[in-house]
Amino acid sequence: MKKLFNAKDRMPDDMIDGFVAAYPDIVCRGADPRVVRRTNLRTKDGKVALLIGNGSGHEPIAMGFVGEGLLDANVVGDVFAAPSPDAILEGIEEVTGDAGAVLLISRHEGDVINGNAAAMMAQDDGLKVQPLLMYDDISSAPKGQEQDRRGAAGTMFIYKILGAAAEQGMALDNLMRLGAEVRAATRTLGAALSPAISPLTGELMFVLPDDEVFIGMGVHGEPGVARRKMGPVKDLVTYMLDALLADGPIAPGTPTVALINGSGGTTMMELLTVYGEVTRQLGDKGIIPIAPMIGSYSTTQEMGGFSISLFTPTPQMLTLWRAPHRAPHFPHIAMQGR
Amino acid sequence: MKKLFNAKDRMPDDMIDGFVAAYPDIVCRGADPRVVRRTNLRTKDGKVALLIGNGSGHEPIAMGFVGEGLLDANVVGDVFAAPSPDAILEGIEEVTGDAGAVLLISRHEGDVINGNAAAMMAQDDGLKVQPLLMYDDISSAPKGQEQDRRGAAGTMFIYKILGAAAEQGMALDNLMRLGAEVRAATRTLGAALSPAISPLTGELMFVLPDDEVFIGMGVHGEPGVARRKMGPVKDLVTYMLDALLADGPIAPGTPTVALINGSGGTTMMELLTVYGEVTRQLGDKGIIPIAPMIGSYSTTQEMGGFSISLFTPTPQMLTLWRAPHRAPHFPHIAMQGR
């Protein structure tokens, strides 16, 4: 398998070694070696904790997003596998103070089962922990069944906005309400172009003809909903925006954040080209693009592809989206302007 | 060709459309549509201008590095091709005031010829423009012939440090001197694992056996200097650090910045693993790792591979390296701590 690693069973651990060595005044290992947490926790001083457990192999999400103004901790699972309930519980216990904690869960089966189990165990131990399910992928369940959808790149709006709000002192119940409102204002649709090599098997994760894209493929290679012939990218963007806006109409004049997330092996040249098409086509409908995010943040190894997320923030959400933070691998929207 | 684009001859233009649409209060198009410049230029108020012309297809370098505290302009060439002398001259004329300009040139044949020609034309027009050649790739010419080496990812230290110094008011001659000092303190060595598809031909840029890495391959697929069998990444890092430290010895106790740059298709999991090995092995030699940079910033499309750059800054250089900036796609070292 042509990947840079020492031993297969050490992949997440060696990666964590590099991460905490790089940014020691921001992140460190927790008592459990698979817990990465903020070096200077404020959660014992009345701040609500914000954390997530997830499978590794999708970096920089979520480990790279630990830091002031964003996550307090990430419990790092094996590649493409949710951490155990016990490991997530270790993370919760390490960072949760009297103000409680929001445990984010990106809606995938293992993450939901293990995350909910960990939250229940923590509650039994007397900790005020609330799990918040995140789902945004419109291809994975029809309109009206939003709660059955998968978590995709649009979950990053929840990470950032709750992270900033918690840093500013928002209480647990209000954070849970705000998270649900951000979730309701976000929709994502992805397209896969080329497969990645799975670190687990050393094999390609799927096969796709040379002239086709797969719409709606999941971040672990879950089957998509439609195949399309490759063509000019503007036609693909039109198709994807039509689907997103049919699912969640956006009125002319509405400020809208577009997130163009690369799957790992798609170039910045291509992602910027996609953003140019998205912003032009939204503009044609009178929608106002604002404070975008463009890059490969929620990845599936070196898979080729991208997703478009559309998010219609309230003014409060927009301010929190743009608030400064110190997470090493999350972009600095405030420094990027608009 | 499985890439996201509208028409082959529009690739750089469509990419620029997306970039300037995303960050309009930071960057805009110049009078020449292939010039991307800062929206609020300060170079007419006594600030020395800093700019570069380079082929596209390597993003985010260099277009993504335009912004306050970094580049004033980037002249964007066709894919993998230096812009013409006339285009570079347009960029120089647009941003150069009485304080003059540093024209950065990453040492590749076309860039050198066209950059020097543009600088001479600008000087003939009465502009105070100095070209600064950048070269750091130790595999491309032996020790003692440093001026024959290629520019590689380590050029980013010059971009950032001169960008911050110019923003703070440093004069042209001092910037040229500082740039040469940063260059002398930087060495880079790369390794290629898997090829990218060339946007020009639609074909793979090279072929490499499944179990081999190519040491010293250039950013346009220029042949490397050695092949090695794949193995544990720690052995590859040892080999590369030995070569870097033989070329430029670093005394124990020296603060050293490591840049782990991904070629495009190599995951953050792998780059962090490489950094973990680099920092551990440097530490074993008593060298002090500080203010690192880890990510895919100088890329060759979706090529698999990475480079290690070692940079031994003076305290002044380190402060400038960590200074705040607003370039959309350059990392914020100051926010990442240490």
Side-chain angles (χ1 to χ4, degrees):
Chain A
M1 171 170 43
K2 215 160 192 183
K3 297 204 186 250
L4 300 161
F5 66 103
N6 286 316
K8 216 162 145 174
D9 62 351
R10 285 279 310 166
M11 279 182 177
D13 307 284
D14 286 354
M15 167 183 78
I16 294 170
D17 280 353
F19 186 65
V20 298
Y23 315 110
D25 67 342
I26 300 181
V27 290
C28 65
R29 270 207 161 85
D32 183 301
R34 288 290 189 87
V35 173
V36 174
R37 69 160 175 87
R38 280 172 59 174
T39 303
N40 296 311
L41 279 178
R42 289 184 51 236
T43 49
K44 306 296 159 105
D45 308 326
K47 179 190 169 300
V48 176
L50 186 67
L51 77 160
I52 189 167
N54 68 299
S56 57
H58 303 290
E59 290 71 24
I61 203 171
M63 186 180 70
F65 304 165
V66 177
E68 190 180 329
L70 249 151
L71 298 177
D72 292 289
N74 176 220
V75 184
V76 180
D78 286 332
V79 173
F80 298 166
S84 68
D86 285 345
I88 301 172
L89 181 62
E90 294 272 358
I92 293 171
E93 288 179 342
E94 180 141 7
V95 299
T96 304
D98 292 343
V102 177
L103 175 68
L104 300 175
I105 301 175
S106 183
R107 208 186 149 283
H108 296 271
E109 193 174 358
D111 296 271
V112 174
I113 293 171
N114 294 3
N116 280 333
M120 281 176 57
M121 291 191 289
Q123 288 161 357
D124 286 346
D125 291 347
L127 294 172
K128 279 203 313 181
V129 175
Q130 295 290 331
L132 179 69
L133 281 177
M134 304 188 291
Y135 39 81
D136 57 319
D137 179 353
I138 66 165
S139 76
S140 54
K143 193 171 166 65
Q145 299 176 35
E146 284 80 4
Q147 74 286 353
D148 295 332
R149 290 177 170 174
R150 287 191 296 249
T155 58
M156 282 188 280
F157 295 115
I158 298 180
Y159 287 66
K160 177 63 178 70
I161 289 168
L162 292 200
E167 199 72 38
Q168 294 176 12
M170 188 178 282
L172 181 57
D173 288 352
N174 289 337
L175 286 167
M176 290 296 294
R177 194 173 309 123
L178 179 61
E181 289 167 3
V182 173
R183 184 177 64 200
T186 304
R187 280 166 184 76
T188 297
L189 182 59
L193 272 76
S194 60
I197 295 171
S198 166
L200 300 174
T201 64
E203 305 292 328
L204 291 176
M205 292 173 67
F206 56 88
V207 178
L208 195 55
D210 266 356
D211 60 345
E212 288 188 8
V213 290
F214 216 158
I215 305 291
M217 174 162 281
V219 295
H220 311 97
E222 295 92 336
V225 293
R227 285 181 171 196
R228 277 179 61 88
K229 291 287 175 194
M230 284 291 290
V233 66
K234 64 174 184 286
D235 296 344
L236 179 59
V237 166
T238 301
Y239 174 88
M240 293 171 74
L241 286 180
D242 283 352
L244 285 163
L245 294 171
D247 195 88
I250 300 178
T254 306
T256 300
V257 179
L259 158 60
I260 313 302
N261 180 69
S263 306
T266 290
T267 63
M268 184 59 91
M269 172 176 259
E270 293 166 280
L271 299 178
L272 287 169
T273 300
V274 168
Y275 180 74
E277 289 300 334
V278 167
T279 195
R280 185 179 302 123
Q281 295 185 27
L282 290 180
D284 288 347
K285 297 174 198 296
I287 296 168
I288 302 170
I290 188 164
M293 180 163 154
I294 303 157
S296 296
Y297 297 108
S298 172
T299 69
T300 301
Q301 297 288 301
E302 67 282 3
M303 185 170 112
F306 69 102
S307 61
I308 303 173
S309 301
L310 297 181
F311 166 50
T312 49
T314 62
Q316 178 200 30
M317 292 174 193
L318 189 60
T319 301
L320 294 166
W321 173 240
R322 301 197 52 202
H325 70 84
R326 288 192 77 200
H329 294 166
F330 198 94
H332 292 268
I333 308 294
M335 310 291 271
Q336 294 175 345
R338 257 229 284 208
Chain B
M1 171 171 42
K2 215 160 192 184
K3 296 204 186 249
L4 300 161
F5 67 101
N6 285 316
K8 214 162 146 176
D9 62 351
R10 285 280 309 167
M11 279 182 176
D13 307 284
D14 286 353
M15 169 184 76
I16 294 171
D17 280 352
F19 186 64
V20 298
Y23 315 110
D25 68 342
I26 300 181
V27 290
C28 65
R29 270 207 160 84
D32 183 302
R34 287 292 188 87
V35 173
V36 174
R37 69 161 175 87
R38 279 172 59 172
T39 303
N40 296 310
L41 279 178
R42 290 184 49 236
T43 50
K44 306 298 158 105
D45 308 325
K47 177 190 169 302
V48 176
L50 185 68
L51 76 161
I52 189 167
N54 68 299
S56 57
H58 303 291
E59 290 70 25
I61 203 171
M63 186 180 70
F65 304 165
V66 177
E68 189 180 331
L70 249 150
L71 298 177
D72 293 290
N74 175 221
V75 185
V76 180
D78 286 331
V79 173
F80 298 165
S84 69
D86 285 345
I88 301 172
L89 181 62
E90 294 273 356
I92 294 171
E93 287 180 342
E94 180 142 7
V95 299
T96 304
D98 292 342
V102 177
L103 175 68
L104 299 175
I105 301 175
S106 182
R107 208 185 150 284
H108 295 271
E109 193 174 358
D111 296 272
V112 174
I113 293 170
N114 293 3
N116 281 333
M120 281 176 57
M121 292 190 288
Q123 288 162 355
D124 287 347
D125 291 348
L127 294 172
K128 280 202 313 181
V129 176
Q130 295 290 331
L132 179 69
L133 282 178
M134 303 187 291
Y135 40 81
D136 57 320
D137 180 354
I138 66 164
S139 75
S140 54
K143 194 170 166 66
Q145 299 176 35
E146 283 80 4
Q147 73 287 354
D148 295 331
R149 290 178 170 173
R150 288 191 296 250
T155 59
M156 283 188 280
F157 294 115
I158 298 180
Y159 287 67
K160 178 62 180 69
I161 288 168
L162 292 200
E167 199 72 37
Q168 294 177 12
M170 188 179 281
L172 182 56
D173 287 353
N174 289 337
L175 285 168
M176 289 297 293
R177 195 172 309 124
L178 179 61
E181 288 166 4
V182 173
R183 183 177 64 201
T186 304
R187 280 164 183 77
T188 297
L189 182 60
L193 272 76
S194 61
I197 294 171
S198 166
L200 301 173
T201 64
E203 305 292 329
L204 291 177
M205 292 172 68
F206 56 86
V207 178
L208 195 55
D210 266 356
D211 60 344
E212 288 189 7
V213 290
F214 215 160
I215 305 292
M217 173 162 280
V219 295
H220 311 97
E222 296 92 337
V225 292
R227 286 182 171 195
R228 275 178 62 88
K229 291 286 176 193
M230 285 290 290
V233 67
K234 65 173 184 285
D235 295 345
L236 179 59
V237 167
T238 301
Y239 173 88
M240 293 171 73
L241 286 180
D242 283 352
L244 285 163
L245 293 171
D247 195 89
I250 300 178
T254 307
T256 300
V257 179
L259 158 60
I260 312 301
N261 180 69
S263 305
T266 290
T267 62
M268 184 59 90
M269 172 177 260
E270 292 166 281
L271 299 178
L272 287 169
T273 300
V274 168
Y275 180 74
E277 289 300 334
V278 167
T279 195
R280 186 179 300 123
Q281 296 186 26
L282 290 181
D284 288 346
K285 298 172 198 296
I287 296 168
I288 302 169
I290 189 166
M293 179 164 154
I294 303 157
S296 297
Y297 297 108
S298 173
T299 69
T300 301
Q301 297 288 301
E302 68 282 1
M303 185 170 112
F306 70 101
S307 61
I308 302 173
S309 301
L310 297 182
F311 166 51
T312 49
T314 62
Q316 177 200 33
M317 293 174 191
L318 189 60
T319 301
L320 294 165
W321 173 241
R322 301 197 52 203
H325 70 83
R326 287 192 77 201
H329 294 166
F330 198 95
H332 291 268
I333 308 294
M335 311 291 271
Q336 295 175 343
R338 256 229 286 207

